[in-house]
Every structure is written in structure tokens, then in C-alpha cells.
Amino acid sequence: MWIDRTKCDAHRLCAELFPESIRLDDWGYPIIASGPIPASLLPHAQRAVDSCPVLALALRRVARRA
Amino acid sequence: MSDTVLWYTTRGAGAVSLVLLSAVVVLGVLSTLRFESASWPRFLTSALHRNVALTAIVFLALHIVTAVVDPFTHLGWLAAIVPFSSYYRPLWLGFGTVAFELLVAISVTSLVRGAIGHAAWRGIHWLSYASWPAAVLHGFGTGTDAWSAWMLVIDVVCILAVLAAICARLLARPPDPLAADRARFRDRVSRTIGR
Ligand code: SF4
């Protein structure tokens, strides 16, 4: 999961919808856990991305290591 | 289907649409205000805003289709598509057409928000403040029930709710805790890479 920090306005929707990977800092800006998102959580991740009011979030495919 | 059923459907769906649209506007403003409480998380506002908007479109479709196919009105499809073109109360019907077309534009651009980008989406979304008043005018101008007591109560509640939300928005401080700093930062960045 990638975030464009110049866009993020601390709306916090993403953290409400995807607390498994997104925490908030003291000002309400998201801190996203690094590393790939387990497949079982992908629908939640997608919902968080879609909910961001300023389109600051994106999911990108990462190459799977053998 | 008998004409009476169509006609009552038109009127009922129109009233329901006004209530739903007002709720959509209020929810939209609440989400810009970042309203939340212990039992009302923020995503609830935005999810409701979206789903009530989609429901409103269904009721508006019902409102428009039943009005057009009603053999008594014989309005014709043109009146439903081209504003102010109807033979019957062109001005007031036209406001309804304008309101609906703006709403469709606002909704479609929201569904493809990722493709058109945030700035364009936001610009079009501001048209909500034109669409909703146009819908209210349409209701007052040509609503069969416009001056019956129950409809007036609905009108007053809807208008007060939207006005209250707009006032709250105008009075609110920027909800982003670092808004000023970030605006300055963006400004400098765009001046540096802009040219
Ligand atoms: S939803 Fe978007 S704007 Fe809000 S905190 Fe998350 S990334 Fe930032």
C-alpha cells in the first residue's frame, strides 16, 4: 500500500476501515505498515483505498519472491 | 397500469427524492466537516452519502419515467432531457431537468473519480450546490402537492437541515490539523516545479 503524503489531508477514513495496517500519528495522519498485505486482508485494503476522499492511497502489486 | 397509479408514483417519488437529496447534501457537508462521535465513525458518513445518493437516483428515475409515460401529462422524453423545452411549465420543469442532469454528472464523475483526478472531481462536485436548490425550486414551482401541509413540512425540514449544514461548513475552521503549513508547502512546491 502506497500513500502520497502531499495529498493526504488526515481524513482518517483509511485507518477506520483498515486498522490492520494503518495507524495514526499524533496529528491524525496515517502510518502504514510496510510490506505486502496478506491476501485475506486485500478487500479491506481496497475499501480503504477507495474511501480516501483525496485519492492519496494506492495499492500496488509487489513481485512475489520465490 | 392506470393513470392514477402513475401519477401518484410521480408525486410520491418526487417527495422521497427531495428528502433523500437533502440527506445526501447534509451527509456530504458532514463529511467535509469530518463529523464523528463514539458511535458514528467517519466512514459511516461517507458510505451513507454515497449509498443515499445512489438511492436518490433510483427514486428520481422513477419520478421522471412515471411522469413522462403518464398519458395524461404527455410530456415527452425531450422535456426530460432538454431543460426548459417542455410545453407545460417550461421554467419549473426545466429546473427539475437541470437538477437531475447535474446530479447524474456529479454521480458519474464520483464513480470514476480515480480516472479523472481529485481536482476535476471536486470541481464538478461543487455543482451540488446548484443541483439541490434547482430541485427545491422545481418542487415549489410545479409540485402538485407543493402547498399541501405535509409537503410544506417536508420542504421546511429539508431546507433548514441543508442551511444548517452549510452554515456549519462556513463557520468551521479547516479540519486538517496542518492545513496552513501544508498549503504553504504545496504553494512552494508548485512554484519550484511549476516553471
Ligand atoms: S483516508 Fe486518505 S486523506 Fe484520510 S488519512 Fe487516509 S490517506 Fe490520508
Side-chain angles (χ1 to χ4, degrees), chain B residues 168-184:
Chain B
R169 180 173 193 175
L170 291 175
L171 295 175
R173 279 174 296 128
D176 182 345
L178 303 178
D181 299 319
R182 284 153 41 73
R184 225 174 307 129

Side-chain angles (χ1 to χ4, degrees), chain A residues 3 7-15 22 24 28-30 32 48 51-57:
Chain A
I3 180 165
K7 285 189 188 157
C8 173
D9 272 339
H11 284 278
R12 283 197 234 151
L13 290 160
C14 55
I22 304 179
L24 293 173
Y29 288 93
I32 298 177
S51 78
C52 175
V54 292
L55 302 172
L57 293 169

